[in-house]
């Protein structure tokens, strides 16, 4: 476990020159901030975005922060479409010479109305977990190539405080038999992110693989989460009450995106980070603060949960897990 005596900030990120980073959901929020910071530190940053228009706008913003001669690049990726995931992984491997130093699984959808992905999975589980798991497995050879060439490649997967209320129903992950609730589905998806990161690390260590798998969460950061969860409620009175409550909570407790991005940047770049770590803010109840290594949820540490989710993910995606 990493111990800290001083507060870690962006200034502590070492030079990233010569390293290649892929960030999902890099067109806004935590992903956009991470892209700009890492590009400014010298990394070659690939912005994986679903919307070409928003992706181009983000690309211009990150390019303005990057050092001279360091050109960020755009990769089309829709995590809710496994065909797009496969195509994006192929583009990344081809464009980088099959070498990737950091995969930052940052993208996500939050508290969406009931719906399905292109492949028929519940939207939040399919996008937040299945899409990222598939992408990770498909890019593992490129991460190993970085290790073979002397780097310490990392997969960083973003979870959430909402994972604490999550339960993974391996028999009904897509809410085909359960009654759908946006917050319940979001909690399951973000718990799955944490479980997958830990299970991936467990299997990498068993295989003697040098790639690190780390999880992180941003605490309570000002995003559209509160308004999205409020807006998804069917009752207009409850919807308005929740929206007002979310705004009050943000004003009283939430931190800005600059601070909220620190845990995933720490997980991706800080010295001494070990596989299986979980990084979050050091303040009260993990809501805000500077990054530190925290204890994962007990449910996320159970090997039977990890292996069950691993096998379910392989079956649903049709992708061979790596490591097998």
């Amino acid at each position: 476990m990493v111990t800290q005596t001083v507060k870690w900030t962006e200034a502590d990120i070492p030079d990233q020159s010569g390293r290649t980073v892929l960030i999902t959901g890099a067109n806004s929020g935590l992903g956009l901030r991470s892209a700009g910071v890492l590009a400014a530190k010298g990394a070659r940053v690939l912005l994986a975005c679903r919307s070409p228009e928003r992706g181009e706008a983000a690309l211009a913003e990150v390019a303005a922060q990057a050092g001279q001669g360091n050109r960020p690049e755009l990769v089309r990726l829709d995590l809710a479409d496994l065909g797009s995931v496969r195509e994006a992984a192929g583009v990344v491997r081809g464009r980088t010479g099959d070498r990737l130093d950091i995969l930052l699984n940052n993208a996500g959808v939050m508290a969406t109305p009931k719906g399905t992905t292109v492949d028929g999975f519940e939207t939040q589980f399919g996008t937040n977990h299945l899409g990222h798991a598939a992408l990770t497995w498909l890019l593992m050879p490129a991460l190993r190539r970085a290790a073979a060439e002397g780097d310490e490649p990392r997969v960083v997967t973003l979870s959430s405080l909402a994972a604490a209320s999550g339960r993974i129903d391996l028999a009904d992950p897509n809410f085909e038999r359960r009654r759908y609730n946006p917050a319940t589905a979001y909690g399951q998806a973000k718990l799955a992110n944490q479980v997958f990161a830990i299970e991936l690390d467990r299997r990498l260590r068993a295989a003697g693989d040098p790639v690190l798998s780390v999880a992180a969460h941003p605490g309570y950061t000002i995003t559209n989460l509160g308004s999205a969860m409020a807006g998804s409620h069917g009752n207009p009175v409850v919807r308005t009450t929740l929206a007002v409550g979310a705004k009050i909570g943000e004003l009283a407790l939430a931190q800005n995106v600059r601070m909220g991005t620190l845990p995933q940047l720490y997980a991706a770049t800080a010295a001494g980070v070990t596989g299986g770590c979980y990084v979050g803010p050091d303040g009260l109840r993990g809501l805000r603060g500077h990054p530190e290594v925290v204890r994962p949820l007990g449910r996320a540490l159970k090997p039977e949960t990890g292996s069950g989710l691993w096998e379910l993910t392989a079956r649903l995606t049709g992708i061979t897990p790596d490591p097998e």
Side-chain angles (χ1 to χ4, degrees), residues 10 38 86 89 113 129 156 159 171 211 219-220 261 268 290 314 317:
E10 291 174 357
L38 293 173
R86 289 180 181 275
H129 166 61
V156 179
S159 183
V211 178
Y220 187 7
T261 307
H290 291 263
T317 62

Side-chain angles (χ1 to χ4, degrees), residues 56 114 206-207 319 321:
E56 289 292 348
K114 186 175 183 179
I319 293 174

Side-chain angles (χ1 to χ4, degrees), residues 16 28 63 122 156 175 226 247 251:
Q16 298 295 300
S28 65
E122 186 278 313
V156 179
F175 289 82
K247 182 58 65 177
L251 291 173

Side-chain angles (χ1 to χ4, degrees), residues 65-86:
Q65 301 173 63
Q68 187 173 9
N70 182 20
R71 297 175 62 85
E73 303 165 49
L74 193 61
V75 175
R76 173 80 167 84
L77 170 66
D78 183 353
L79 289 164
D81 180 351
L82 290 176
S84 175
V85 173
R86 289 180 181 275

Side-chain angles (χ1 to χ4, degrees), residues 3 26 68 98 121 147 157 217 222 245-246 259:
T3 57
Q68 187 173 9
D98 215 12
F121 308 123
T157 303
H217 78 85
I222 299 175
M259 289 297 295

Side-chain angles (χ1 to χ4, degrees), residues 29-236:
L30 301 172
L32 178 58
R33 177 74 187 183
S34 296
V37 170
L38 293 173
K41 291 287 184 175
R44 176 189 181 187
V45 178
L46 280 64
L47 290 77
C49 306
R50 180 172 60 87
S51 165
E53 295 77 16
R54 291 196 295 266
E56 289 292 348
L59 187 67
E61 184 174 333
V62 174
Q65 301 173 63
Q68 187 173 9
N70 182 20
R71 297 175 62 85
E73 303 165 49
L74 193 61
V75 175
R76 173 80 167 84
L77 170 66
D78 183 353
L79 289 164
D81 180 351
L82 290 176
S84 175
V85 173
R86 289 180 181 275
E87 183 176 351
V91 168
V92 171
R93 294 183 63 179
R95 200 183 294 180
T96 64
D98 215 12
R99 186 188 193 281
L100 184 65
D101 298 277
I102 299 171
L103 170 58
L104 182 46
N105 289 325
N106 162 86
V109 293
M110 299 170 283
T112 58
K114 186 175 183 179
T116 58
T117 66
V118 170
D119 303 283
F121 308 123
E122 186 278 313
T123 300
Q124 298 183 82
F125 185 74
T127 303
N128 297 352
H129 166 61
L130 294 178
H132 276 128
L135 181 67
T136 299
W137 286 340
L138 291 169
L139 289 176
M140 196 59 66
L143 290 156
R144 286 198 188 89
R145 174 76 175 271
E149 295 181 359
D151 208 333
E152 184 186 70
R154 302 181 190 184
V155 178
V156 179
T157 303
L158 201 62
S159 183
S160 165
L161 288 171
S165 63
R167 296 291 187 278
I168 300 174
D169 188 336
L170 296 174
D172 187 25
N174 295 307
F175 289 82
E176 294 167 318
R177 295 184 293 276
R178 290 182 287 167
R179 180 178 179 180
Y180 181 80
N181 176 279
T184 300
Y186 183 66
Q188 174 181 254
K190 298 316 287 183
L191 176 59
N193 286 144
Q194 193 175 144
V195 171
F196 178 78
I198 292 170
E199 181 65 16
L200 175 60
D201 173 71
R202 186 179 289 125
R203 290 176 184 252
L204 287 168
R205 301 287 74 74
D209 202 304
V211 178
L212 300 183
S213 174
V214 187
H217 78 85
Y220 187 7
T221 298
I222 299 175
T223 65
N224 66 342
L225 174 59
S227 59
M229 296 184 82
S232 67
H233 204 285
N235 186 307

